[in-house]
């Protein structure tokens, strides 16, 4: 009889997730015992503290780890890739809190929104360090289920419910595919740990393995809204409460892409020619589809959703090339990208609260002059999405294209270029609306200035700072990214 | 001497700057005086140069020069801000600044009271500066600079009264025709820089025979380019049409200023670069031929013109034709001599015409004039002097200089003889049209128009206008004595160090040719007298008999029409066509069209997002199916 | 000489598989969700039989208890609460949806089958020997508390999150009552 | 091992998976879609357990058990959503959920 | 340090303008003007201490940016870039001054953007790292977009989109080229670029610059953008921003792609010659003031490219001189067009005319600039064109003939412009009350004109102080000695 071996539990490595879970527990339970007036503030404060704690913990871990190792019986991996991603995720969550704080119409002061937010971040932090198919699946479901609920949390609005249900149906469909793929990979190798899969996959008999790989790719591509698996994205982004969209658009991408990178390099290094090319093709489709569809959008959130699809294309380029430079490019790209996404949705949220209705592009007219700070921030985000300095995303694109060129896939970089040119139309459409269109003011009936919202403004300012800061401080950040991917085994 | 040369060049420029900067603060009159003074300073400086040069040995007179600073550079290729002080340039400086001074003085009186008098004087000073730059420049590039700026000044002067549509058009035409000349000139310079490596006179003339070769295509191209510039500037056929139009310009003075000085620049250029022309004898002869053709054509057209200034303008063309014949045949001294005398009597004629126009309150149509001799006796006399000089009647200046040219031509074989023939026929025409003008304007009974409009002034105009005319009249009478063919050759000798004439006509030939030409001139004058000097129907009969000839001459032998058909209309059509069929559809609308197509596609793509969640799942499933098939197939 | 046990297993397997297919098709083809849910119970039960055949006793038991016993019952409650509204399968929606669905689902199925078939030439059926403890509750428990401790904990977190979500969504007050409430904020 | 080989189980699981997918794709009632999703997950489970048997490795069974819990969680959330929607008097037909499109 | 200061000063000024609240155009414009004058003063100080004897980098500064791809913040001045920086500073002063004088809505934003544009342009001229160069190159787009889009004329929307899409399409290709080049060389340091024999990289650069300049047939954005932008923005755009393209050709393409330059020279020359004639012809037909200036800019940029691709002492010097000349000329022309449009509310040549009468200052400046623009011999523009054509002549006489013909066409369109605005009968849209240039306008345009006249007296002031006196050698050795 085998003896019971208690696995070695690396509490330090789990600390970010644990801090978030603790925060989630606090926000779930404590407000019930607090007076109604302070619940909201308390929850937000605790959530922020938990996110900061998680971020700091991850940062400390990052500083201490110089190579990766499996923890808790190799279920997770403690390495800088995960820790860097965790910092970015915590940051996105933190920004999202600023956006959420004044969101009207939420359940009165009960902390469950923040519970879900923390849980989602926790799930993602878990997910990015997943080191086996099982933890991958569980982490995915963890944060997905949190997100399903968050999307639908504005239960008054049919749009929110619709978004939630759509996300749930398509998401579960994707999860089921991912699960079946995992099963096939397990069947092909007999292993669920990533490294073990790589070791066991050496054989020449690969049919089940590649079928499983295909299904895993589809499941992950779905999560990062790469075309043609992106179709949930516009509906869900548009229907979900804007702060949720802000968070989801940034964090899901970070988590999904980092894990994709980890899975493919760690477990499927032997199948490199399959996934590199197919991801490149998916990237191209995303670039084309996202940009084209965005051209004709009128709703700003939907426009940004399609932009997110196109950026999935950009972000898949560095993964597809499968080189260390690509890894660096991905991690660096994600930093300004996450901030810009949260920031731009935050501004949409602010406008939405001001107008008390969904924001269309023409609703932005005159905003640049009336709300100068939001205007400038939004303009910088839009210019940044195009890839103009001084947004860090410019360097992100530079790195992504560099990775493609270095790999010898100049054509991929050129596809990216063409897509960027197309994207100019709609990003500048937003800027044009804010500054150029005659400012027939259409404020909320109350008129005048909108309610002060320092939390949201802080979030926007922070996003802006990250967006611009990543440009100027690119050197150190890229060093971080390099450390993050140092021990991945890139096929090229 | 160098200082004097620089002062000569700079003083009109200073005047321009002062007048421009002072603006309203300077009285109008003062502007004119300032300009005239500047010209005077230039003239004095020229005289100083002359005196200094005279003090030197003839062979040592060439080659003086001075450089202020490098004007333009490219690697080893350097162009200095050079002036050259040698007999040729001093000769031209004297003519330009001397006649220029007289003209500017005259203008002070003529322009008195015009609203924009200051601007006018500034333009004139600018003109003088440009002209001096042209003749003083020590290298071909600065010569071209002066060349172009002269064109610019003439443009400014021609459309001085810019409300007039015709003046504006004439100004543009003059400038653009000259620009054509500038362009060919510049092309010649490109060849020179490529093969000679420098543009200063000394180096170019020194190295050219070796670098370009004698009689080679290269030399021919260089000479052709320079000739193009010269032809355009000197209004020779076929680039002549701007000059008569320029007479549409508002003031006779401005007309004068280029008639008397600027148009002779071509002659100067050929004389200056004779080394290059001599390397390409065919082209030099071409210059002479063009000159000969111009003599005849311009003389013919002048016969039917009705604008007093136009007649004189055509005569200018014709006279410059003589000069071209001269320099084209290598008789540089003769050509330049005629240049000088022509400056005197042509200026005289224009000034006298100016007094007439002034007196008639701006009227220029000779058909409305008549019998002015009594009203303006001194003017009549001055005009007569000018006309006699122009018609080359001894002992007036024109006789000696024109005769020198004809004599040289007579010595040049077949080509020379044909040119001589043209020149002699030109002499006949000159006599005819000159005296036609004289008789119509000054003789006969005063017309109604004259009686109505003539306002007699004290001494036929202000003193400022009168005295330069008088000076010029004197010069027209005695200027010809400077050089008498077969007797002495002051001009030839003077410029010999720079441009030694290759021809020396024997005295007998010279005499014969002079007599023949004189005879023809007298015939012309007689004919003019018989047609216009007394009542008669000669002209009308001739017109009835050869209506086509009259029309052809009145249409100026269709040169303008030809240019319209050959150049202007096609280029305008081309531009319009490009705009309509290339620029708009291809470049301006291209992106719009592409954008439309993309947007259409985008609409289709977005329409795929039906809102049906099952379709989203279907997309997922389809994508999965495709990827799996591909993966399996590849594996 | 075929082993009787083997034949028996085959028979059971065929029955279970048939039940599995038919109940699966029933789930997706019944008009009334109520019947579909009932068919799902059969489906899950057939699965449990297969699990047993694969020596996964604990999973089979959990399948019956958790799924058939809890999840489907929850479905039934909801269906009862909402009043089962029938909708015709294959009706509504664009034509390409149905055709595409059948083609895509079929294609995926065929592809994986092909993959399996290709693999089957290899050692797919070479099953390893298993001990008596394989699949037993004790073994599962040991795994859960050792190597898969984390997975165990995470499933509980997921369940908790889902519960919170269920509370939030399920306890939502109808909007007409909330309109004023939100306006006051 | 008695009875059919692992491949047979796998084929069953694949067919089950396709059935579930078909259900999601052709049905309009969200309830039935949820049921079909359960079938898909269970197909995955069957595959996992079959492979678990083949390798005599307990990981697959553990995986299957966690999937069960996950499936239950999804069902809870899905049903919660459906209830919330029905409270807003929305017809239970995913094809009617088309306010978000384009 | 000084180079960095040259770059940072306008940006800092821009930030200040954006942050502080401004009530009047004069106050905001005044500060901007002060900053621009400071920039100019800084430049003068640089010139005074510059060592013109050598064609190597001076006043350089370097800081690591991100090391893994060898990208750094590296700036410095060559003798030829120095002149372009000076051009930028001067035109910026004139443009900002003009904007201040004209008065613009939302002055803080407006002048801040103008300064931002200035800073970015200076950055392009001083960057010594390919990526940094690209950053500044792209950074110019943002202020231009907003300036045209917000303060532009009625057709600004289409104009801006066209402008941005064209230029970004080009420059993104250049980004790919930069990446390929830099990765290939292992460094993005422009002083150590070396050469490449890749045609694709070469084309990436060339097309980007061809769009920016613009050259035929990439000029589709030009007429609209120049027409719709505020006058002073057009001045900066055509005067300075377009020079960045020529600078890029000179700084990057010519030295680093010797083989391709030789192989593609004929193609480039053919396109440039077509553009030269085409632009001149269209300028001759353009119905409005700005149209004439816009198409003449096209022609002039083509001429500059001809000079660059002559690739000899004369051509290179001429191209550089002509860059400065054209910068000053088109800036003054656009500012003058602005003054005319302010008075008449139209740029349509049919509605203008007779403005010279009673407006001597306007007439004088207009004619002087026009005359220099048509390269009357003796002017600095003539010096530039002469060198360019003189340089191209040995390459092939045909190019020079086309160039010479274009000089005639230039005379045609400039004179047409001058007479249509100033001469003939008073146009229907010209009110009698329209004043002559005010002292403010006079001093701004006058400043540029004085620069032009000074250059006309001494074009060698530039040609003697570039490339260390050895243009071809300097370019061939990639400015390394």
């Amino acid at each position: 009889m085998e003896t019971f071996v208690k696995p070695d539990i690396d509490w330090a490595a789990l600390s970010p997730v644990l801090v978030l879970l603790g925060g989630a527990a606090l926000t779930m339970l404590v407000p019930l015992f607090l007076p109604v007036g302070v619940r909201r503030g308390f929850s937000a404060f605790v959530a922020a503290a938990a996110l900061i704690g998680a971020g700091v913990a991850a940062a400390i871990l990052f500083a201490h780890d110089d190579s990766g190792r499996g923890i808790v019986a190799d279920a997770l991996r403690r390495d800088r890739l995960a820790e860097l991603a965790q910092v970015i995720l915590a940051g996105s969550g933190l920004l999202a809190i600023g956006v959420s704080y004044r969101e009207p119409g939420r359940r009165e002061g009960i902390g469950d929104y923040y519970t879900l937010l923390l849980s989602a971040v926790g799930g993602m932090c878990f997910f990015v360090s997943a080191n086996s198919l099982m933890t991958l699946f569980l982490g995915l479901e963890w944060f997905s289920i949190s997100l399903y609920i968050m999307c639908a949390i504005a239960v008054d609005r049919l749009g929110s419910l619709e978004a939630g249900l759509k996300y749930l149906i398509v998401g579960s469909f994707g999860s089921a595919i991912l699960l079946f793929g995992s099963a096939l990979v397990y069947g092909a190798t007999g292993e669920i740990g990533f490294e073990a899969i790589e070791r066991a996959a050496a054989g020449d008999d690969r049919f089940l393995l590649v079928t499983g790989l295909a299904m895993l790719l589809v499941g992950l591509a779905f999560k990062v809204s790469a075309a043609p698996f992106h179709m949930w994205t516009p509906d869900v982004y548009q229907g979900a409460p804007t702060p949720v969209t802000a968070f989801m658009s940034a964090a899901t991408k970070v988590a999904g892409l980092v894990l994709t990178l980890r899975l493919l390099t760690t477990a499927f290094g032997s199948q490199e020619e399959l996934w590199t090319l197919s991801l490149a093709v998916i990237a191209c489709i995303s670039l084309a589809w996202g940009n084209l569809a965005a051209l004709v959008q009128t709703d700003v959130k939907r426009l940004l959703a399609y932009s997110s699809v196109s950026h999935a294309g950009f972000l898949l380029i560095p993964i597809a090339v499968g080189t260390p430079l690509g890894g660096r490019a991905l991690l660096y790209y994600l930093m300004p990208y996450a901030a810009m996404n949260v920031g731009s949705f935050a501004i949409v949220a602010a406008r939405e609260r001001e107008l008390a209705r969904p924001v269309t592009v023409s609703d932005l007219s005159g905003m640049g002059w009336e709300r100068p700070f939001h205007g400038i921030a939004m303009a910088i985000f839009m210019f940044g999405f195009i890839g103009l300095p001084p947004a860090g995303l410019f360097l992100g694109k530079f790195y992504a294209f560099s990775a493609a060129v270095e790999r010898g896939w100049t054509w991929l970089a050129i596809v990216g270029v063409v897509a960027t040119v197309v994207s100019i139309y709609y990003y500048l459409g937003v800027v044009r609306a804010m500054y150029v269109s005659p400012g027939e003011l259409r404020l909320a009936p109350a008129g005048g200035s909108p309610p002060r919202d320092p939390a949201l403004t802080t979030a926007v300012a922070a996003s802006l700072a990250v967006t611009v800061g990543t440009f100027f401080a690119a050197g150190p950040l890229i060093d971080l990214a390099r450390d993050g991917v140092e021990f991945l085994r890139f096929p090229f | 001497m160098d200082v004097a040369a620089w002062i000569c060049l700079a003083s009109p420029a200073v005047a321009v700057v002062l007048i421009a900067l002072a603006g309203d603060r300077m009285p109008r009159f003062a502007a004119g005086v300032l300009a005239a003074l500047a010209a005077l300073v230039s003239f004095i400086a020229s005289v100083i140069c002359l005196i200094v040069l005279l003090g030197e040995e003839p062979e040592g007179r060439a080659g003086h020069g001075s450089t202020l600073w490098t004007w333009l550079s490219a690697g080893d290729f350097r162009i200095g801000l050079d002036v050259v002080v040698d007999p040729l340039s001093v000769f031209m400086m004297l003519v330009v600044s001397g006649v220029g001074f007289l003209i500017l003085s005259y203008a002070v009186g003529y322009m008195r009271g015009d609203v924009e008098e200051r601007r006018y004087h500034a333009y004139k000073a600018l003109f003088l500066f440009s002209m001096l730059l042209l003749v003083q420049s020590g290298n071909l590039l600065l010569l071209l600079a002066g060349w172009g700026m002269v064109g610019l000044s003439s443009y400014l002067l021609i459309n001085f009264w810019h409300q007039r549509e015709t003046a504006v058009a004439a100004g543009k035409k003059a400038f653009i025709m000259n620009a054509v000349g500038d362009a060919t000139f510049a092309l010649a310079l490109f060849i020179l820089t490529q093969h000679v490596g420098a543009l200063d006179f000394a180096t170019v003339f020194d190295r050219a025979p070796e670098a370009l070769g004698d009689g080679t295509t290269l030399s021919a191209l260089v000479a052709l380019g320079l000739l193009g510039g010269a032809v355009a500037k000197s209004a020779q056929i076929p680039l002549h049409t701007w000059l008569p139009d320029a007479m549409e310009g508002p003031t006779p003075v401005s007309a004068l200023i280029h008639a008397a000085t600027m148009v002779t620049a071509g002659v100067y250029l050929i004389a200056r670069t004779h080394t290059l022309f001599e390397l390409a004898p065919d082209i030099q002869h071409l210059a002479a031929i063009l000159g000969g053709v111009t003599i005849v054509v311009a003389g013919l057209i002048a016969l039917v013109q009705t604008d007093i200034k136009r007649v004189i303008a055509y005569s200018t063309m014709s006279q410059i034709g003589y000069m071209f014949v001269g320099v084209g045949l290598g008789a540089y001294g003769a050509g330049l001599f005629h240049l000088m005398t022509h400056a005197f009597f042509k200026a005289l004629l224009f000034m006298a015409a100016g007094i007439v126009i002034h007196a008639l309150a701006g009227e220029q149509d000779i058909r409305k004039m008549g019998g002015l001799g009594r009203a303006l006796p001194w003017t009549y006399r001055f005009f007569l002097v000018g006309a006699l000089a122009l018609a080359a009647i001894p002992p007036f200046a024109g006789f000696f200089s024109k005769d020198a040219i004809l004599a040289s031509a007579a010595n040049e074989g077949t080509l020379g003889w044909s040119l001589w023939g043209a020149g002699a026929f030109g002499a006949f025409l000159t006599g005819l049209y000159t005296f036609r003008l004289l008789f119509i304007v000054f003789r006969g009974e005063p017309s109604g128009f004259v009686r109505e409009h003539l306002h007699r002034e004290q001494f036929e105009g202000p003193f400022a206008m009168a005295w330069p005319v008088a000076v010029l009249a004197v010069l027209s009478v005695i200027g010809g004595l400077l050089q008498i063919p077969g007797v002495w050759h002051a001009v030839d000798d003077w410029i010999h160090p720079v441009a030694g004439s290759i021809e020396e006509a024997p005295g007998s030939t010279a005499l014969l040719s002079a007599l023949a030409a004189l005879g023809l001139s007298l015939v012309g004058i007689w004919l003019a007298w018989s047609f216009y000097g007394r009542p008669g129907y000669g002209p009308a009969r001739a017109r009835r008999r050869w209506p086509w000839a009259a029309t052809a001459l009145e249409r100026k032998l269709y040169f303008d029409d030809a240019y319209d058909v050959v150049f202007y209309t096609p280029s305008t059509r081309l531009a319009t066509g490009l705009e309509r069929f290339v620029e708009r559809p291809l470049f301006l609308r291209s992106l719009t069209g592409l954008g439309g197509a993309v947007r259409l596609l985008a609409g289709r793509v977005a329409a795929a997002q039906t809102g049906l969640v099952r379709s989203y799942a279907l997309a997922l499933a389809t994508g999965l199916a495709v990827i799996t098939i591909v993966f399996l197939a590849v594996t | 000489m075929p082993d009787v046990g083997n034949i028996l297993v085959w028979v059971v397997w065929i029955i279970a598989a048939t039940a599995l297919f038919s109940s699966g098709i029933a789930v997706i083809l019944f008009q009334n969700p109520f019947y579909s849910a009932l068919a799902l119970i059969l489906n899950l039960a057939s699965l449990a039989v297969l699990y047993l055949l694969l020596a996964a006793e604990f999973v089979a038991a959990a399948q019956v208890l958790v799924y058939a016993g809890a999840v489907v019952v929850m479905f039934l409650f909801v269906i009862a609460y909402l009043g089962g509204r029938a909708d015709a399968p294959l009706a509504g929606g664009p034509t390409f949806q149905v055709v595409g669905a059948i083609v895509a689902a079929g294609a995926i199925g065929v592809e994986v089958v092909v993959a399996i078939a290709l693999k089957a030439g290899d050692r797919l059926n070479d099953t390893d020997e298993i001990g008596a403890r394989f699949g037993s509750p004790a073994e599962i428990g040991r795994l859960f508390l050792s190597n898969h401790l984390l997975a165990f904990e995470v499933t509980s977190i997921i369940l908790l999150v889902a519960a919170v979500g269920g509370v939030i969504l399920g306890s939502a007050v109808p909007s007409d009552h909330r309109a004023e409430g939100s306006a006051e904020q | 091992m008695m009875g059919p080989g692992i491949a047979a189980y796998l084929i069953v699981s694949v067919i089950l998976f396709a059935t579930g997918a078909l259900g999601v794709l052709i049905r309009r009632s969200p309830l039935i879609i949820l049921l079909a999703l359960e079938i898909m997950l269970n197909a995955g489970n069957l595959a996992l357990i079959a492979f678990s048997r083949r390798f005599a490795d307990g990981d697959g069974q553990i995986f299957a058990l966690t999937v069960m819990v996950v499936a239950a969680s999804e069902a809870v959330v899905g049903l919660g959503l459906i209830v919330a929607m029905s409270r807003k008097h929305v017809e239970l037909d995913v094809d009617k959920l088309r306010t978000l499109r384009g | 340090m000084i180079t960095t200061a040259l770059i940072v000063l306008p940006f800092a000024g821009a930030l200040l303008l954006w942050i502080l609240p401004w009530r009047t155009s004069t106050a905001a414009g005044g500060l901007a003007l002060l900053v621009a004058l400071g920039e100019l003063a800084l430049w003068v100080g640089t010139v005074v201490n510059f060592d013109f004897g050598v064609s190597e980098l001076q006043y350089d500064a370097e800081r690591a940016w991100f090391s893994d791809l060898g990208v750094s913040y590296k700036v410095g001045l060559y003798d030829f870039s120095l002149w372009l920086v000076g051009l930028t500073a001067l035109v910026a002063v004139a443009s900002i001054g003009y904007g201040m004088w004209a008065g613009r809505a939302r002055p803080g934003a407006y002048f801040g953007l103008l300064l931002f544009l200035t800073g970015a342009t200076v950055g392009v001229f001083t960057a010594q790292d390919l990526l940094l160069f690209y950053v500044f190159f792209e950074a110019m787009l943002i202020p231009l977009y907003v300036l045209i889009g917000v303060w532009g004329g009625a057709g600004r929307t289409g104009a801006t989109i066209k402008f941005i899409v064209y230029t970004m399409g080009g420059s993104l290709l250049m980004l790919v080229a930069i990446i390929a080049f830099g990765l290939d060389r292992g460094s993005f340091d422009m002083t150590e670029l070396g050469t490449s024999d890749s045609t694709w990289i070469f084309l990436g650069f060339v097309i980007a610059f061809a769009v920016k300049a613009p050259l035929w047939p990439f000029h589709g954005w030009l007429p609209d953008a120049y027409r719709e932008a505020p006058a002073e923005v057009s001045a900066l755009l055509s005067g300075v921003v377009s020079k960045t393209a020529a600078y890029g050709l000179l700084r990057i393409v010519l030295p680093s792609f010797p083989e391709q330059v030789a192989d593609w020279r004929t193609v480039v020359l053919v396109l440039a010659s077509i553009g030269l004639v085409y632009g001149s012809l269209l300028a001759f037909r353009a119905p409005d003031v700005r149209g004439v200036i816009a198409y003449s800019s096209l022609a002039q940029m083509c001429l500059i490219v001809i000079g660059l691709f002559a690739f000899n002492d004369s051509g290179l010097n001429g191209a550089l001189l002509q860059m400065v000349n054209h910068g000053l000329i088109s800036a003054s022309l656009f500012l003058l067009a602005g003054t005319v449009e302010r008075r008449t509310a139209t740029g349509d040549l049919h509605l203008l005319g007779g403005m010279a009468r009673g407006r001597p200052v306007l007439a004088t400046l207009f004619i002087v600039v026009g005359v220099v623009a048509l390269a009357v011999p003796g002017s600095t523009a003539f010096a530039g064109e002469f060198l360019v054509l003189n340089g191209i002549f040995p390459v092939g006489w045909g190019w020079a003939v086309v160039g010479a013909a274009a000089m005639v066409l230039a005379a045609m369109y400039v004179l047409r412009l001058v007479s249509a605005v100033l001469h003939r009968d008073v146009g229907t849209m010209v009110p009698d009350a329209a004043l002559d240039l005010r002292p403010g306008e006079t001093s701004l345009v006058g400043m540029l004109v004085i620069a032009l006249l000074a250059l006309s007296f001494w074009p060698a002031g530039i040609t003697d102080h570039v490339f260390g006196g050895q243009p071809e050698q300097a370019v061939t050795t990639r400015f390394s000695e």
Side-chain angles (χ1 to χ4, degrees), chain C residues 2-185:
Chain C
D3 181 0
V4 178
N6 200 15
I7 291 172
L8 197 61
V9 170
W10 266 106
V11 170
V12 173
W13 187 86
I14 288 170
I15 293 170
T18 314
L20 192 65
F21 291 144
S22 42
S23 63
I25 292 180
V27 169
I28 66 164
L29 286 186
F30 271 132
Q31 289 204 4
N32 192 325
F34 193 78
Y35 295 134
S36 291
L38 291 180
L40 185 65
I41 296 180
L42 177 59
N43 187 277
L44 298 173
S46 331
L47 265 177
V49 172
L50 292 183
Y51 291 170
L52 278 177
L53 294 183
L54 287 166
E57 295 104 8
F58 183 79
V59 182
Q63 178 85 354
V64 173
L65 287 173
V66 175
Y67 253 126
V71 177
V72 181
V73 168
M74 190 169 65
F75 268 101
L76 288 173
F77 269 127
V78 171
I79 292 166
Y81 172 70
L82 298 177
R85 286 167 221 170
D87 78 319
L90 304 173
T95 323
F96 74 83
Q97 177 70 35
V98 177
V99 178
I102 293 167
V103 171
I108 294 171
V110 170
E111 282 158 16
V112 182
V113 169
V114 166
I116 293 165
L118 290 168
K119 174 87 176 178
D122 196 33
R123 313 160 304 274
L124 191 57
N125 283 339
D126 304 349
T127 36
D128 293 342
E129 284 307 310
I130 49 170
R133 295 183 57 255
F134 183 77
S136 69
E139 175 67 5
I140 299 294
R142 188 188 65 80
L143 283 172
F144 256 138
L145 291 177
S146 60
N147 284 355
H148 299 295
L149 179 62
L150 214 48
F152 184 61
E153 298 299 336
V154 169
T155 50
S156 58
I157 293 169
I158 293 175
L159 212 49
L160 191 59
V161 171
V164 170
V167 170
I168 292 174
L169 299 171
S171 66
V173 187
S175 57
D176 16 332
H177 296 274
R178 278 187 41 87
E180 303 92 273
S182 62
E184 283 163 14
Q185 272 193 331

Side-chain angles (χ1 to χ4, degrees), chain A residues 136-137 140 173-183 215-216 219-220:
Chain A
L136 184 158
F137 180 76
L140 183 83
F173 193 72
S175 301
I177 291 174
L178 186 101
L179 172 69
F180 205 83
S182 304
M215 291 182 157
L216 285 172
L220 290 170

Side-chain angles (χ1 to χ4, degrees), chain E residues 108-150:
Chain E
Y110 186 76
F111 292 107
L113 287 165
L114 281 180
L115 280 179
F116 189 95
L117 178 59
T118 309
T121 316
V122 171
V124 172
F125 291 136
T126 52
Q128 299 303 335
D129 181 280
L130 275 180
L131 190 68
L132 192 65
F133 174 85
Y134 183 81
V135 165
F136 285 124
F137 200 78
E138 292 289 61
M140 296 189 303
L141 283 183
I142 299 174
L144 280 172
Y145 172 76
V146 183
L147 284 168
I148 302 176
V150 176

Side-chain angles (χ1 to χ4, degrees), chain E residues 290-326:
Chain E
R290 299 244 196 138
V292 176
I293 311 174
Y295 283 112
S296 81
S297 280
L298 170 63
Q300 287 294 311
M301 291 312 296
C302 289
L303 187 78
I304 289 170
V305 168
I306 290 177
L308 290 175
F309 276 77
F311 208 144
N312 51 28
D313 287 352
S314 186
L316 290 169
N317 259 359
L320 196 86
L321 178 59
Q322 198 56 11
M323 282 187 217
V324 177
N325 291 338
H326 178 246

Side-chain angles (χ1 to χ4, degrees), chain E residues 240-251:
Chain E
V240 180
V241 173
S242 65
K243 302 303 167 294
T244 59
Y247 171 82
L249 287 174
L250 172 63
R251 177 68 188 86

Side-chain angles (χ1 to χ4, degrees), chain B residues 334-349:
Chain B
L336 288 167
F337 182 41
H338 194 55
L339 185 156
M340 183 185 78
T341 57
H342 172 257
F344 297 156
F345 61 71
K346 191 50 60 68
L348 173 63
L349 284 172

